[in-house]
Amino acid sequence: FKDRLDYFYNQGRDEFFKSKIQKYNSTVFRTNMPPGPFISQDPKVVALLDGKSFPVLFDVTKVEKKDLFTGTYMPSTDLTGGYRILSYLDPSEPKHARLKQLLFFLLKSRRDHVIPEFQASYSELFETLEKEVAEKGKSSFQTANDQAGFNFLCRAFFGSNPPDTKLGTDGPSLISKWVLFQLGPVLKLGLPKYVEELLIHTFPLPPALVKKDYQRLYDFFYESSGSIQDEAEKLGISREEACHNLLFATSFNSFGGMKIFFPNMLKWIGRAGIKLHNRLATEIRSAIRSNGGKLTMAAMEQMPLMKSVVYEALRIEPPVPLQYGRAKKDIVIESHDAVFQVKQGEMLFGFQPFATKDPKIFERAEEFVGERFMGEEGEKLLKHVIWSNGPETQQPTLGNKQCAGKDFVVLMSRLLVVELFRRYDSFDIEVGKSALGAAVTVTSLKRASF
């Protein structure tokens, strides 16, 4: 209980880990991770807080990933139609490969729709931001991004436009509520301490309270994803199970990632200032011009600064900071300066922002350096960018737990930066806090002048 209160309130997450590193004089140590009683039976973990020890979490010969997606507890399967979703399966389970294969099929079969649908959805977002900044002097990026992100994913993946269906514009709010029931035990919502402790950190919220909301989402996905369900049946997956997995992959994994990462990326680029903005605008516009004025994959390959900026944002504030695995056997884990024995069955926990800001790997590790990953030396560092549950230099396979949509997420993030600097020379923001990262308010947008 003391660790939980320190983690959420007395110290805060980063300070909680820093103080333990000082106390034990080590980046690997045993501690408790929230939520603990009464949501998770065993809160004990071996924490890995440096870039050398962390990658053991990707090695499926050493660690098991069964039911560990959210940490030391698992949300009720009542929240996912009674199914254990792909994110909770270990690669050793037969269904893991089939469900991941289905996601690979979805991404491959719809790849030609990604760029046009992103441009259409995010043109709407920028028009909204411009209009509100002109009228009120500021505009919430979050609100516009939630709607644009969800519309984009549904149009790109399923050819379905949510506002034209019974779901309307309710998708993002229904998803946010449903995600709270899963992640509430490890979130800080900003409620009074003891209210929050009792309400979301001590007992799980009853799934029945979001049953109707989830059903509305499910109905939309079921009606929209017929051709993907046909493929699922060929792979030996029922249409129903496929639909719950498609809903989760789109709403929790993809939309959740955009909801957290896009504002964070905007925050870092906004804070980097006008000099970086000018360089990005120049690079992006000239690459598009030299490709006949069209944005293509080939044009984006000619934007090394833009690519580096996206990787740097993924490094400095990865969208999924906490990762878990259970030791399959007795193993030895090395940090930069010590060796640790871990027993079979022990829970391993990695706090990714400490691994990706490891000063023994990255110079000026705490700073946002836009050009960090440019050139030959910069590209060598990409193996330490590990936001996708694996190194950036490796690819997701049926046999590992690396994010099936790894390349898709990088592409989406690049598209956001490209569309931003096609339109604007620079922009100004104010940054606040939200339960899932940064709350970004846009206060000015300087229209493209060249």
Side-chain angles (χ1 to χ4, degrees):
F1 282 115
K2 183 186 182 303
D3 275 340
R4 187 164 87 189
L5 292 172
D6 284 346
Y7 179 92
F8 285 120
Y9 311 103
N10 304 336
Q11 293 174 307
R13 186 173 66 183
D14 288 24
E15 203 44 55
F16 174 79
F17 294 126
K18 280 177 190 163
S19 68
K20 299 260 184 190
I21 289 172
Q22 287 170 338
K23 178 181 172 183
Y24 299 115
N25 196 24
S26 173
T27 50
V28 178
F29 51 81
R30 286 182 167 78
T31 185
N32 296 296
M33 276 298 287
F38 297 93
I39 291 173
S40 73
Q41 297 316 305
D42 184 3
K44 294 195 286 292
V45 299
V46 178
L48 313 172
L49 304 186
D50 62 77
K52 190 166 181 193
S53 64
F54 191 98
V56 74
L57 288 163
F58 311 143
D59 187 342
V60 293
T61 65
K62 291 179 180 171
V63 299
E64 185 186 68
K65 294 282 196 170
K66 189 177 177 181
D67 298 339
L68 302 180
F69 180 60
T70 41
T72 60
Y73 72 102
M74 182 181 166
S76 167
T77 54
D78 289 350
L79 292 161
T80 48
Y83 291 95
R84 285 173 62 236
I85 296 296
L86 175 62
S87 294
Y88 292 95
L89 301 180
D90 186 72
S92 63
E93 298 178 75
K95 265 193 185 159
H96 179 274
R98 280 180 283 168
L99 287 167
K100 200 164 185 181
Q101 183 73 53
L102 183 67
L103 294 189
F104 287 155
F105 171 80
L106 170 69
L107 291 160
K108 194 176 176 187
S109 65
R110 299 291 300 177
R111 64 186 171 195
D112 294 339
H113 299 271
V114 173
I115 292 179
E117 293 297 0
F118 191 94
Q119 289 180 311
S121 300
Y122 277 78
S123 291
E124 293 165 21
L125 170 134
F126 288 121
E127 282 161 21
T128 303
L129 292 182
E130 276 190 42
K131 197 172 154 206
E132 288 194 354
V133 169
E135 286 170 7
K136 305 175 195 165
K138 62 181 182 181
S139 177
S140 162
F141 178 75
Q142 254 73 358
T143 312
N145 179 54
D146 280 5
Q147 201 61 59
F150 185 67
N151 290 350
F152 155 66
L153 290 167
C154 296
R155 291 169 185 173
F157 286 167
F158 309 111
S160 180
N161 188 35
D164 299 339
T165 69
K166 282 185 215 156
L167 192 62
T169 54
D170 294 345
S173 59
L174 297 177
I175 293 167
S176 297
K177 192 170 160 189
W178 169 66
V179 168
L180 173 66
F181 276 62
Q182 296 168 77
L183 293 184
V186 290
L187 291 182
K188 188 173 177 221
L189 300 182
L191 301 169
K193 178 160 79 173
Y194 294 109
V195 174
E196 196 162 89
E197 275 300 283
L198 200 60
L199 198 62
I200 59 171
H201 295 157
T202 308
F203 302 101
L205 291 163
L209 297 179
V210 284
K211 195 174 178 184
K212 276 187 183 158
D213 297 336
Y214 184 76
Q215 190 62 44
R216 282 188 67 197
L217 287 168
Y218 179 84
D219 292 343
F220 166 77
F221 279 94
Y222 196 83
E223 283 160 24
S224 306
S225 61
S227 60
I228 315 295
Q229 293 170 39
D230 294 343
E231 180 66 20
E233 286 189 316
K234 290 179 199 165
L235 293 167
I237 305 162
S238 74
R239 297 178 84 83
E240 188 180 313
E241 183 167 12
C243 187
H244 286 294
N245 273 278
L246 292 168
L247 190 166
F248 195 92
T250 309
S251 306
F252 194 110
N253 302 129
S254 307
F255 174 74
M258 293 170 86
K259 188 177 172 65
I260 295 168
F261 183 62
F262 278 14
N264 284 348
M265 183 165 70
L266 210 65
K267 170 185 79 176
W268 289 106
I269 296 172
R271 284 176 173 171
I274 191 113
K275 208 168 160 188
L276 179 67
H277 298 179
N278 281 336
R279 288 174 63 201
L280 282 166
T282 305
E283 176 186 88
I284 287 164
R285 291 171 203 173
S286 63
I288 292 171
R289 273 188 215 112
S290 66
N291 281 268
K294 268 200 82 170
L295 178 62
T296 58
M297 299 293 268
M300 283 197 280
E301 285 306 311
Q302 295 163 14
M303 303 175 188
L305 177 62
M306 178 279 292
K307 287 159 65 179
S308 175
V309 160
V310 169
Y311 287 138
E312 178 68 340
L314 286 164
R315 175 197 75 86
I316 202 163
E317 199 163 6
V320 184
L322 317 176
Q323 262 136 11
Y324 292 83
R326 195 177 291 283
K328 282 184 171 177
K329 53 190 177 186
D330 291 2
I331 52 176
V332 169
I333 295 175
E334 291 183 35
S335 70
H336 292 295
D337 41 30
V339 176
F340 303 86
Q341 285 188 315
V342 172
K343 293 267 182 277
Q344 181 182 354
E346 284 196 272
M347 179 82 88
L348 303 174
F349 155 74
F351 184 54
Q352 197 183 137
F354 278 28
T356 54
K357 289 188 282 193
D358 184 333
K360 292 189 174 164
I361 293 171
F362 293 104
E363 287 176 29
R364 295 156 64 198
E366 298 286 336
E367 287 178 47
F368 182 85
V369 180
E371 57 280 353
R372 187 184 297 277
F373 297 102
M374 288 172 73
E376 206 177 317
E377 288 307 304
E379 284 183 15
K380 283 180 190 166
L381 290 170
L382 282 174
K383 66 173 183 275
H384 302 293
V385 177
I386 50 178
W387 67 273
S388 62
N389 207 2
E392 195 57 40
T393 47
Q394 287 179 12
Q395 291 305 316
T397 66
L398 299 181
N400 67 20
K401 280 304 283 181
Q402 191 162 19
C403 171
K406 165 183 168 272
D407 294 341
F408 172 71
V409 172
V410 171
L411 173 59
M412 286 194 308
S413 308
R414 289 175 177 178
L415 286 169
L416 180 66
V417 179
V418 169
E419 291 302 323
L420 181 63
F421 287 104
R422 275 180 95 166
R423 281 181 165 73
Y424 308 109
D425 289 344
S426 185
F427 64 97
D428 294 310
I429 52 170
E430 288 168 0
V431 181
K433 276 191 176 156
S434 83
L436 292 170
V440 171
T441 304
V442 178
T443 55
S444 87
L445 292 160
K446 298 175 183 69
R447 270 291 199 176
S449 62
F450 60 89

